Amino acid sequence: VALPGVKLAAVADVYEGRLTLARERHGKDVFTTRDYREVLARPGIDAVIVATPDHWHARIACDAMKAGKDVYCQKPMVKEVSDGHDVIDTQKSTGRILQVGSQRVSSILYAKAQALIRSGAIGKVHLIEAFWNRNSPLGAWQYSIPPDASEKTIDWERFLGSAPRHSFDPIRLFRWRNYQDYGTGIAGDLFVHQFSGIHFVMNSMGPRRVCAMGGTYYWKDGRDVPDLMIGTYDYPETDAHAGFQISLRVNFEAGSGEGPGSQGFQFVGTEGILNLSVGHSLTLTRSPRREDPGTTAGTFARAMADAVIAEHDRKFPKVEPTVESFQPVAAETFALPPGYTEQVEHHKTFLRAVRERTPVVEDPVFGLRAAGPALM
């Protein structure tokens, strides 16, 4: 989607075919290079998008800000937690805009969820659950390998960068998410989206304890990251919210359909549940606690049971239902308007910040607090 007032002026990529694609899509005037530093050296460039493998994020983001460019950096912001502090310090010292590319913080869906939870619509939230099943090769990062992939068309050493040395292997480049040398696996690619959305909705700075496990059960293709992963995260009580726990699960072996698969994301409160259909709608189901707790009188001897029931009936007298009191339990659904996409909104947020020099929500501090739990 082309946004008004924006022109793609330059593209850097280590694979020659992607540079050809850039010229095909955006015209011969687009400057192309295998060396990103040549893009940063051009005075007409105002901002850059860092959409590289994870192990290059921090280096290019910092170099870009030092070169006077604003940065949209794809998630996770960094591959190593320690690199996050370098990004934060560089942003502070240069005064440039840096926005991490986890789009949910710009979505009106998540803004609505934030408002509902703050208003107490579902009571106190102590549990947040999310799952994502992908039953397709592309969902499991089995991306296509171009037939012309060779050491002539690919700058292999530049791709490796700070990663461990490895002989030329186009699979490791085009399917880099499957390897710990370059990517962060399920946690850094998908859990981080959940952390970004949850931290925004709950106004949270991150967990105090993390626990995760996973394994490679289905995709025996040489990858060294799990295709099934489960994480549990414990968040402390703060002035903004009660303490809560997060349960996250991603499975690349089974799911529904060849598309994005089945997803679930819900905030479970003491008075109801807020369910987010990612990218589509939000459903609020209120379930206030019953005043009458009931009894377990049947587990006592008859005399004691009669006494327990009598005391219960005194405190909670029976109320006969009437036509007026017999109402259906309804859920409220808030649907996104047709054509709305949070990805476009997130880019609008970034461009507005670039033009008006206003701060963004998903700055380097936010980005590290979302990436940190995933990387751990």
Side-chain angles (χ1 to χ4, degrees):
V1 177
L3 296 174
V6 180
K7 180 181 179 181
L8 181 68
V11 173
D13 200 286
V14 298
Y15 169 50
E16 193 64 36
R18 293 252 166 83
L19 303 180
T20 301
L21 175 64
R23 292 188 292 270
E24 288 176 351
R25 287 185 174 178
H26 301 282
K28 296 181 180 179
D29 291 338
V30 173
F31 174 76
T32 58
T33 177
R34 291 184 177 185
D35 188 347
Y36 75 91
R37 293 171 297 184
E38 293 186 4
V39 174
L40 301 184
R42 297 176 71 84
I45 303 295
D46 300 305
V48 298
I49 297 174
V50 180
T52 64
D54 298 344
H55 72 300
W56 271 105
H57 284 187
R59 169 72 183 276
I60 297 179
C62 288
D63 286 351
M65 288 186 286
K66 291 174 182 176
K69 317 301 182 185
D70 295 319
V71 177
Y72 182 112
C73 181
Q74 279 293 3
K75 51 75 198 168
M77 186 180 78
V78 292
K79 185 177 182 294
E80 305 292 339
V81 172
S82 58
D83 290 338
H85 300 284
D86 294 335
V87 177
I88 292 170
D89 292 342
T90 302
Q91 190 274 322
K92 287 181 178 179
S93 64
T94 62
R96 305 314 303 177
I97 301 294
L98 185 141
Q99 176 176 280
V100 182
S102 189
Q103 61 270 15
R104 296 177 182 181
V105 304
S106 291
S107 170
I108 57 174
L109 202 63
Y110 284 76
K112 183 64 175 180
Q114 181 189 74
L116 288 170
I117 288 176
R118 287 183 178 179
S119 71
I122 59 172
K124 293 185 180 298
V125 175
H126 296 295
L127 174 65
I128 301 170
E129 299 175 306
F131 71 87
W132 199 335
N133 296 319
R134 287 182 169 182
N135 189 20
S136 72
L138 293 182
W141 306 326
Q142 286 280 52
Y143 303 142
S144 302
I145 310 297
D148 71 341
S150 70
E151 293 184 86
K152 290 184 177 180
T153 60
I154 293 170
D155 190 335
W156 179 249
E157 286 301 311
R158 195 178 302 279
F159 161 69
L160 290 179
S162 61
R165 298 299 93 184
H166 197 285
S167 57
F168 177 76
D169 183 353
I171 293 177
R172 294 178 74 89
L173 167 60
F174 291 97
R175 298 176 181 171
W176 60 266
R177 295 187 191 278
N178 291 325
Y179 301 94
Q180 295 183 42
D181 286 346
Y182 327 112
T184 51
I186 283 173
D189 190 54
L190 299 175
F191 280 7
V192 73
H193 272 308
Q194 312 292 8
F195 288 124
S196 297
I198 291 166
H199 290 183
F200 174 71
V201 171
M202 300 296 292
N203 191 27
S204 173
M205 294 189 292
R208 59 183 173 182
R209 294 184 295 177
V210 305
C211 175
M213 64 183 69
T216 307
Y217 295 93
Y218 184 81
W219 290 101
K220 309 293 187 178
D221 56 359
R223 70 181 63 200
D224 59 17
V225 298
D227 58 14
L228 170 63
M229 193 168 186
I230 299 172
T232 304
Y233 305 84
D234 180 48
Y235 282 67
E237 183 176 356
T238 68
D239 292 338
H241 57 74
F244 59 91
Q245 293 201 349
I246 299 176
S247 172
L248 304 179
R249 171 174 60 81
V250 170
N251 182 11
F252 285 171
E253 181 178 350
S256 62
E258 288 296 313
S262 60
Q263 299 181 49
F265 189 18
Q266 63 181 11
F267 295 80
V268 182
T270 55
E271 304 291 330
I273 293 178
L274 204 57
N275 192 293
L276 280 83
S277 173
V278 179
H280 296 95
S281 63
L282 181 156
T283 300
L284 168 63
T285 304
R286 302 177 193 270
S287 53
R289 291 177 176 271
R290 293 173 51 191
E291 292 185 10
D292 183 348
T295 76
T296 56
T299 64
F300 303 145
R302 182 176 299 175
M304 186 58 65
D306 290 344
V308 170
I309 292 172
E311 177 64 15
H312 169 270
D313 291 346
R314 184 184 66 79
K315 291 182 178 179
F316 303 98
K318 292 182 180 179
V319 177
E320 294 297 327
T322 64
V323 173
E324 290 74 18
S325 67
F326 186 64
Q327 298 293 332
V329 177
E332 300 173 66
T333 297
F334 305 87
L336 288 173
Y340 179 93
T341 67
E342 55 195 24
Q343 289 88 348
V344 171
E345 290 304 310
H346 204 42
H347 279 278
K348 287 181 179 179
T349 298
F350 174 65
L351 295 172
R352 184 164 54 249
V354 169
R355 292 184 175 113
E356 301 176 6
R357 312 312 299 170
T358 52
V360 294
V361 171
E362 202 169 3
D363 62 11
V365 173
F366 188 107
L368 180 56
R369 286 174 176 165
L375 301 178
M376 285 189 272

